[in-house]
Each structure stands twice: as C-alpha cells, then as structure tokens.
Amino acid sequence: MKVLLDLFSFAIPMIILSWILPKKYVLLSQIVITGLFILYKSPISFCVLTFVSFGNFYVLHQSNFRESIKIAISLVFLIFLIFTTKILFSIDKDWIVPLGMSYYSFRNIHYTLEYYKGKIKNEKLLFYLAYNFFLPVFIIGPINRYPDFVKDWQRRRFDNYYFSTGLQRILYGTSKIVILGNYLFTLKAVNFIENIDKNHEWLKTYLETLRFVFNAYFQFAGYSDIAIGLSLLMGYRIVENFNYPFLATNTRDFWAKYHISLSSFCKDYIYTPISSYYRKPLFGIIATMIIIGLWHEISLRYLLWGLLQALGIYISSFFQNKTKSIIMSTLGSLFVINFFALSCIIISHDTLSSALETYKTLFLIH
C-alpha cells in the first residue's frame, strides 16, 4: 500500500501540471517528477535508468559507429544489464534489483529493435527521456511502445471521456489491490485455509494453490488498471495488460489475455523471428515462454515454469479448431485455471523440493 500511496502522491501533481503548464514544458515536468519519485524510492534505480537512457540514446543517435555496431552495443548492454542483475539476485536475495528495471529494459530493447527496423529516426532526446521516465508504467508496466507514446503526445488534448474512464480504472485497480488482493485473498482466505481441519490436507493445499494465483493476479491487474487510469488522466492511452485471462478456454488463449504487453512483446521479437527462421512454431513457443519465465527471475524454478507454459500452449494447439459447446468451453476454462495454478506451485515455493511435496499432496502420492 505504501508504494501505491507514494505513486499517487507524485502522480497527482504530475497530472495537474500536465494540463496547466504550457505544452513545451509538459514533457519536462513529467520527466522531473518521475525522476524525483525514482530518486525517492531507490537512488540506485535513478542512477541506472539515467545511465541507460542517456547511454542508449547516445549510441543510437549520436555515435559514429556503423548501424550494425550500434544495434549490437545497445542490445548486448541492455540484455547484459537485466540478466546480470537478476542472476545476482538469484544468488543473493539481499541484492537490490533496481526498481522497474525489467520493464524499462524491455522498453529500451523495443526502442532499439524499432530503430533497427528503420521506424525510429532523428528522435529528440526529450521524447526519449519522457518515454523512459513515464511514471504511470514505471513500477509494474504495462510495457508501452514508443511509437504509440509519441502518437498519443501529438494528438493529446483534454478529453472528458479519457478523464472519467481514467478515474474509473484507478478505482477498479485500487479495489482489486485493496479489497480483492489484500483483504479477500491475503487476509480472509489465509485465515479460512488455516482453519480447515488438518485431516483435509488435500483441500487446504489445493485452496492455497488457487489463493496464490488469484492474489497475484488481482494485485498485478490492479496496478495495471491504475497505470492505465493515470495515463488516461494525462491524455495517453496505454495498452491493456489483462483481458479476463481465466475465462480463456485454452492455454494459448490464456497467454493472449494475461500480461498482454509482455506476451505481445515476446511474440513480436522472439516467437515470430524464431518460428519464421526455423519454420517450426514449437521452437518459437519454447523460446518465448522460457524468456518470459527468466524475465521474472533467472533461476531453475522459473525456467521449469516457462517450459510448463510452453507445454500447455503446445497441448492447446491440438484443440484450437475444435467446435466448442458451453460445456466444453467451461471445461476448457477449468483446465486453464488448474493448469496455470499447478504450474505456479514451482514459483510459489523457495525450493523445488518443497514444491515437489505440494505436488505429492495434490496428486495423492505417498
């Protein structure tokens, strides 16, 4: 909750200034306020993001290297940064991962790849800094794209619909976090599960498995709603991050609705190139889900989690074109919920051995 209150404390003056300042000062005010927020929450994060922003812009737009060298330097540095930091965190949990680094690293990788495609040319440093230092999406995404950000800025104007919708999304997001996440699935559900008789160990374990997944979902979806709402209040439309994923009838559809900005990023920059090159969609699926897993944490448990997601997507491909009745759709949704919940047991435990014990309980293995 403190992070949420801090976010609102900085976002409110940013929104006010974005409409009362002359337009030529608006982007600068957004950069400064976001920078102050990051500096307040994590000085090391401020230093890292500032270095990444100025360094990447210089390499791509100011240096005299050949285009191929520019791209190589940018991508190698960004990938090295995120992987090194997360590897150090997996080795030592006391290692501090810079706030928001997973998101701004992928945003900058996106920027570099779009530059490579020739879609970004002669950009101004001010726009690039405003894109990197954009407070609503900084903490937990979504991974917004640079061309969309610039287009929104160019056609930005005060809109009553944007404003009312933005307030609604903030209300929905806060409710998901506070009421559903913190109160229902953290406080009440935990107490309910703990009070179940010990003779019903299977039921306790199963309910705890579901509780972990739904709590994570409502927390994450809530912050995404707030990010979208704050952006709308400033005149920007940010990509949706969730679209009722647990109503999906197969795992492929689930990942088209869950963490949409990350899924679409990996689809465009990992799945499509690999699948096209090898002409084997399965290779693209495996590579994509492994990257999504390791993006969260570079560890064996997240590698296995990613492989399980790939397996689920591969299995769902056999049922993609089947005619679905209401009964089959319901069964499909139940499969998606339970498959995803069971796969998340791996990441909900600190060790694989403790996760294995949970699997033994659920599958009645003694």
Side-chain angles (χ1 to χ4, degrees):
M1 277 298 295
K2 187 178 186 307
V3 173
L4 194 57
L5 292 174
D6 290 339
L7 176 64
F8 286 145
S9 297
F10 283 83
I12 290 173
M14 175 185 283
I15 293 166
I16 295 172
L17 289 175
S18 72
W19 295 113
I20 66 174
L21 287 176
K23 188 172 182 179
K24 62 181 179 179
Y25 298 121
V26 171
L27 289 179
L28 182 59
S29 71
Q30 294 174 9
I31 295 169
V32 170
I33 293 177
T34 302
L36 290 173
F37 171 81
I38 303 169
L39 194 61
Y40 166 70
K41 297 298 295 183
S42 173
I44 188 174
S45 302
F46 175 82
C47 294
V48 172
L49 179 56
T50 301
F51 179 76
V52 167
S53 300
F54 282 97
N56 203 44
F57 186 87
Y58 172 80
V59 168
L60 295 178
H61 296 289
Q62 303 295 329
S63 68
N64 296 320
F65 299 123
R66 295 200 309 270
E67 291 298 296
S68 58
I69 300 299
K70 290 181 180 181
I71 302 301
I73 291 174
S74 175
L75 291 179
V76 168
F77 171 73
L78 291 169
I79 294 171
F80 174 81
L81 174 67
I82 189 171
F83 270 74
T84 301
T85 305
K86 286 183 175 287
I87 287 173
L88 290 172
F89 178 76
S90 66
I91 295 172
D92 182 3
K93 297 300 182 183
D94 292 329
W95 173 266
I96 298 175
V97 177
L99 183 68
M101 191 193 69
S102 296
Y103 292 95
Y104 64 71
S105 293
F106 268 34
R107 279 197 291 270
N108 279 276
I109 289 173
H110 147 73
Y111 183 93
T112 298
L113 292 173
E114 293 302 298
Y115 173 87
Y116 168 72
K117 294 177 181 178
K119 296 182 179 180
I120 295 176
K121 296 179 179 178
N122 303 318
E123 289 300 310
K124 295 180 180 179
L125 177 61
L126 182 66
F127 283 112
Y128 184 61
L129 291 177
Y131 172 65
N132 270 338
F133 286 81
F134 188 59
L135 181 58
V137 302
F138 183 80
I139 298 176
I140 201 165
I143 303 172
N144 59 319
R145 306 218 178 179
Y146 184 78
D148 296 331
F149 179 82
V150 174
K151 286 179 183 177
D152 278 346
W153 166 255
Q154 292 171 342
R155 61 192 179 194
R156 177 178 176 272
R157 71 185 192 283
F158 187 83
D159 187 304
N160 288 329
Y161 174 76
Y162 274 24
F163 201 81
S164 62
T165 304
L167 291 175
Q168 288 176 8
R169 294 300 293 269
I170 293 171
L171 177 61
Y172 295 158
T174 304
S175 299
K176 287 177 182 177
I177 295 170
V178 177
I179 300 175
L180 296 178
N182 293 347
Y183 180 74
L184 183 61
F185 283 102
T186 299
L187 179 62
K188 288 297 183 180
V190 169
N191 290 335
F192 175 77
I193 293 170
E194 287 180 348
N195 289 326
I196 294 177
D197 192 279
K198 292 182 179 180
N199 294 325
H200 301 291
E201 184 181 7
W202 185 92
L203 179 61
K204 292 184 69 171
T205 304
Y206 178 68
L207 290 178
E208 175 56 29
T209 300
L210 293 179
R211 188 204 68 81
F212 172 83
V213 167
F214 283 109
N215 178 54
Y217 166 70
F218 283 117
Q219 298 282 355
F220 193 6
Y223 274 105
S224 294
D225 280 336
I226 290 170
I228 292 169
L230 292 175
S231 299
L232 285 170
L233 294 183
M234 296 170 63
Y236 299 91
R237 289 192 67 89
I238 300 300
V239 63
E240 293 290 341
N241 221 13
F242 296 92
N243 184 24
Y244 303 103
F246 293 108
L247 296 181
T249 56
N250 61 70
T251 311
R252 181 186 291 272
D253 188 35
F254 172 84
W255 277 105
K257 299 172 179 288
Y258 188 91
H259 207 335
I260 297 171
S261 63
L262 176 61
S263 299
S264 63
F265 175 96
C266 292
K267 178 183 178 182
D268 291 345
Y269 299 124
I270 300 171
Y271 171 79
T272 300
I274 291 177
S275 298
S276 300
Y277 182 81
Y278 291 104
R279 298 184 178 179
K280 290 185 179 294
L282 180 59
F283 288 0
I285 292 172
I286 293 173
T288 297
M289 300 317 299
I290 286 176
I291 292 299
I292 288 178
L294 297 180
W295 177 81
H296 288 86
E297 178 182 295
I298 298 179
S299 62
L300 178 58
R301 61 178 185 158
Y302 272 92
L303 173 63
L304 294 174
W305 179 82
L307 288 172
L308 282 174
Q309 304 313 312
L311 175 63
I313 293 172
Y314 180 68
I315 293 173
S316 71
S317 64
F318 293 103
F319 304 95
Q320 195 73 16
N321 299 319
K322 301 292 184 181
T323 302
K324 294 178 181 177
S325 63
I326 295 177
I327 295 176
M328 291 303 295
S329 296
T330 302
L331 291 174
S333 295
L334 289 174
F335 171 80
V336 166
I337 293 170
N338 284 280
F339 179 85
F340 186 69
L342 289 172
S343 71
C344 287
I345 290 173
I346 294 177
I347 61 176
S348 66
H349 290 73
D350 293 330
T351 64
L352 290 177
S353 59
S354 61
L356 182 60
E357 291 302 316
T358 299
Y359 282 122
K360 287 181 178 180
T361 299
L362 289 174
F363 289 101
L364 304 176
I365 300 173
H366 301 288

